[in-house]
Amino acid sequence: MELSEQELGRRQALAALRELGIDPYPAAEFPVNAYSDEIRASFVDLPTTTDEEGNEVPGVATPENSRQVIVAGRMMSRRVMGKASFSELMDSRGRIQIYVQRDAICPDEDKTLYNVVYKKLLDLGDFIGVRGYVFRTKTGEISIHAQELCLLSKSLKPLPVVKTDADGNVYDAFSDPELRYRQRYVDLLVNAGVKDTFLKRATILRTMRQVFDEAGFTEVETPILQQIAGGAAARPFITHHNTLDTDMYLRIATELYLKRLIVGGFEGVYEIGRNFRNEGMDRSHNPEFTCMELYVSYKDYNWMMTFTEQLLEKICLAVNGTTEVQIGDNVVSFKAPYRRLPILDAIKEKTGHDLSAMSEDEMRKIAKGLGVEDTDKMGRGKLIDEIFGETCEGTFIQPTFITDYPVEMSPLTKMHRSKPGLTERFELMVNGKELANAYSELNDPLDQEQRFIDQMKLADKGDDEAMVIDHDFLRALQYGMPPTSGIGIGIDRLAILMTGQSSIQEVLLFPTMKPEVK
């Protein structure tokens, strides 16, 4: 690989440092005891004094009367002014100015550390460690007066520099999406707000776990490698287990294993983990994604709707300090309660078509007229799903529970207690996309077996996302599963909503990318 002029210069500096006996990658611990944000927040100006004429004089900071700190981070700027200089240090929590005075860091006659190392051999992006005391400069900026300075790690590639022309136009910025997603480590360093998005994502997960733990639910882990790709309608990734000499699947859902745990006596279990679906990639889909699934005994989908809207309200408050989020041109409110609307009523409301009494052929004609393709392979449930997706889904901006799906669309869901042909299922729509899917879980093993058989018939008709029969799951159900409600929430989509982003790639640290062309 051909090196740029800057990269060659940094490698020459690396060699020069070693010639001076300075290890550019030292192994010893550096005892950091302070961070930029906390230093600013806790800073207190020194008391003023009075001169001989009775005038107030600001207190002068010294090592004896000021707070001593040890900080570390990247050197992001440097302004050399003879025997004194200013640098900006970026740590994990922000940035702070460092005042570097030659005689302060080189108290003896040897000034090599300042004149050669600091001024000539250090580069922007290098990690440095600083011991010093906190003070306020004459311009009012809280800074650290360095008394000791050392190199902690040498950077061999220059960071992108964002430049602004005379008219205020930004150029040379690290803004190309493919570069940003492929080199997320650089994106995090140079683009404001990127790191904050992922800190908010961490807050989402932390708050979710806190709510579940306080409710008495147990976090568990289930297999990622599975012999049957079950629990959802999706195309799986296939791999091969050499020792067992058998093909296996990366899981598409955690549902069936979590229900086995309900059979085994857990009253409430949840898992937050990766699922894998060998499907398309776009602004709202990634082949590997994070999903939370929760199952609670003795509850139904009505309880789950109430629990879900309370959960999301708490998460939004924790992340944003308010129940409202600006997402593009829309202001979405996660304040409970949310609207509840049966799916067939939603389709009638948006299209004028009442599908409830239509035959499959009549429904197929409606679907074709609405632009749905490949309808000949679709059963009644798939047709309803496609019609809803084509005409309704994108119109629900505020959180809305779409309820009571036809049985053909819901092979793992309990039949509706009062509406024949429908099931006790809801999907939560927010900002035009599905965020959550939940059921009153089917716990009749004979009914479940027939549902699986019906799914296999759909597979025979060409539906490559139809479920296969999981005989061990059926065996588990035969031991008895209590009335249970379950829900799956897409964490990536939730992060998009809570952070006001526009695509799933913005909330995945390392989204799936095409192979890099060398």
Side-chain angles (χ1 to χ4, degrees):
M1 181 184 296
E2 187 175 347
L3 299 178
S4 68
E5 184 177 343
Q6 287 194 56
E7 289 174 304
L8 288 171
R10 287 172 179 248
R11 294 189 182 217
Q12 291 166 1
L14 180 75
L17 287 164
R18 286 182 165 140
E19 288 179 5
L20 290 171
I22 297 174
D23 184 354
Y25 305 104
E29 174 192 4
F30 190 79
V32 172
N33 66 7
Y35 295 89
S36 55
D37 59 343
E38 175 269 326
I39 290 172
R40 285 198 195 84
S42 63
F43 181 79
V44 177
D45 283 304
L46 294 169
T48 58
T49 59
T50 304
D51 62 18
E52 294 178 354
E53 298 177 357
N55 299 315
E56 285 193 350
V57 179
V60 177
T62 67
E64 290 73 27
N65 66 7
S66 300
R67 180 186 174 190
Q68 296 280 332
V69 295
I70 305 173
V71 296
R74 288 186 186 270
M75 185 173 70
M76 300 300 288
S77 69
R78 177 176 50 197
R79 289 180 289 128
V80 177
M81 299 173 292
K83 298 179 182 180
S85 304
F86 287 96
S87 284
E88 186 179 46
L89 181 142
M90 181 175 73
D91 63 16
S92 62
R93 301 182 188 176
R95 302 188 181 204
I96 194 163
Q97 182 171 267
I98 308 295
Y99 175 58
V100 184
Q101 189 181 46
R102 186 194 69 180
D103 294 339
I105 66 169
C106 303
D108 301 325
E109 292 184 6
D110 184 358
K111 308 300 180 183
T112 303
L113 177 60
Y114 182 82
N115 291 337
V116 179
V117 176
Y118 174 75
K119 291 173 63 174
K120 299 178 180 180
L121 301 182
L122 294 189
D123 292 290
L124 301 189
D126 288 354
F127 281 89
I128 60 173
V130 175
R131 299 173 187 258
Y133 59 92
V134 185
F135 75 109
R136 188 189 295 275
T137 66
K138 292 180 180 179
T139 60
E141 185 167 355
I142 298 170
S143 307
I144 299 172
H145 191 306
Q147 294 174 285
E148 297 179 30
L149 184 147
C150 65
L151 175 64
L152 298 176
S153 182
K154 184 69 179 167
S155 171
L156 297 184
K157 294 184 77 68
L159 295 175
V161 178
V162 178
K163 301 177 182 178
T164 307
D165 64 20
D167 297 325
N169 300 312
V170 175
Y171 64 103
D172 283 353
F174 194 76
S175 57
D176 179 76
E178 181 170 344
L179 277 178
R180 289 183 54 236
Y181 304 150
R182 198 179 296 280
Q183 298 180 32
R184 182 68 84 185
Y185 39 89
V186 180
D187 187 34
L188 289 164
L189 287 174
V190 302
N191 287 324
V194 174
K195 185 176 180 181
D196 186 56
T197 294
F198 293 100
L199 292 175
K200 286 182 175 180
R201 180 183 173 116
T203 299
I204 291 170
L205 294 173
R206 184 167 55 250
T207 305
M208 184 175 282
R209 284 189 167 98
Q210 180 181 353
V211 171
F212 293 163
D213 293 346
E214 289 176 353
F217 308 146
T218 302
E219 184 171 12
V220 298
E221 293 179 308
T222 60
I224 292 177
L225 282 177
Q226 301 182 356
Q227 295 184 358
I228 294 175
R235 190 181 303 122
F237 284 94
I238 304 174
T239 186
H240 187 78
H241 194 296
N242 291 333
T243 301
L244 298 178
D245 191 23
T246 185
D247 284 345
M248 300 189 79
Y249 304 92
L250 299 183
R251 70 181 177 201
I252 59 175
T254 56
E255 176 168 349
L256 301 186
Y257 278 95
L258 292 174
K259 287 182 180 178
R260 286 172 169 93
L261 298 180
I262 296 295
V263 171
F266 284 91
E267 190 161 323
V269 292
Y270 70 95
E271 181 170 8
I272 300 173
R274 288 290 205 186
N275 290 342
F276 306 84
R277 298 184 182 179
N278 198 357
E279 300 171 344
M281 295 164 51
D282 55 33
R283 295 176 69 82
S284 58
H285 295 87
N286 194 67
E288 58 174 315
F289 60 97
T290 303
C291 188
M292 184 288 302
E293 290 200 41
L294 166 72
Y295 295 85
V296 186
S297 300
Y298 313 115
K299 306 297 183 185
D300 64 8
Y301 80 140
N302 293 306
W303 175 90
M304 188 62 81
M305 278 187 266
T306 300
F307 181 82
T308 300
E309 60 194 9
Q310 293 172 351
L311 169 68
L312 295 179
E313 182 178 323
K314 290 177 182 177
I315 288 174
C316 194
L317 280 169
V319 172
N320 298 300
T322 174
T323 57
E324 293 185 347
V325 182
Q326 182 79 42
I327 307 172
D329 296 331
N330 301 319
V331 176
V332 176
S333 173
F334 285 94
K335 179 72 176 176
Y338 307 157
R339 187 186 183 195
R340 305 181 182 191
L341 181 66
I343 187 171
L344 295 178
D345 291 354
I347 292 173
K348 185 177 181 180
E349 181 180 286
K350 300 296 182 182
T351 70
H353 296 295
D354 185 357
L355 305 184
S356 60
M358 285 188 185
S359 68
E360 191 173 301
D361 287 338
E362 291 173 320
M363 203 177 295
R364 188 170 285 109
K365 291 179 182 179
I366 294 293
K368 287 181 178 179
L370 294 171
V372 178
E373 299 179 353
D374 297 327
T375 58
D376 293 339
K377 296 180 181 180
M378 297 180 188
R380 179 182 179 84
K382 186 74 170 177
L383 287 166
I384 292 173
D385 189 31
E386 291 294 326
I387 292 171
F388 177 82
E390 188 72 30
T391 63
C392 304
E393 183 173 329
T395 68
F396 293 103
I397 303 303
Q398 299 305 319
T400 304
F401 292 114
I402 303 299
T403 68
D404 304 345
Y405 285 70
V407 64
E408 298 91 342
M409 298 174 63
S410 312
L412 299 170
T413 312
K414 188 182 285 291
M415 296 297 293
H416 199 285
R417 66 196 75 179
S418 60
K419 299 178 181 179
L422 303 181
T423 60
E424 296 195 348
R425 172 186 175 189
F426 72 78
E427 289 185 338
L428 176 60
M429 301 295 166
V430 186
N431 201 44
K433 296 290 184 183
E434 174 198 341
L435 175 61
N437 187 21
Y439 319 141
S440 293
E441 300 295 337
L442 178 59
N443 59 345
D444 180 338
L446 301 181
D447 188 358
Q448 181 65 83
E449 182 176 18
Q450 185 59 50
R451 303 272 194 101
F452 277 142
I453 292 172
D454 292 342
Q455 284 286 300
M456 295 303 292
K457 292 177 181 178
L458 292 176
D460 292 339
K461 292 173 66 175
D463 188 346
D464 59 2
E465 294 185 350
M467 293 187 190
V468 298
I469 298 178
D470 186 333
H471 292 285
D472 180 69
F473 175 66
L474 290 174
R475 179 169 56 193
L477 284 186
Q478 290 173 26
Y479 282 95
M481 185 175 85
T484 298
S485 183
I487 187 170
I489 296 177
I491 298 300
D492 305 321
R493 289 192 180 179
L494 180 58
I496 291 173
L497 294 168
M498 292 297 174
T499 60
Q501 297 296 331
S502 58
S503 73
I504 194 171
Q505 289 80 15
E506 293 293 342
V507 298
L508 295 175
L509 280 168
F510 301 101
T512 302
M513 305 284 291
K514 291 181 180 179
E516 187 172 5
V517 178
K518 299 295 185 181

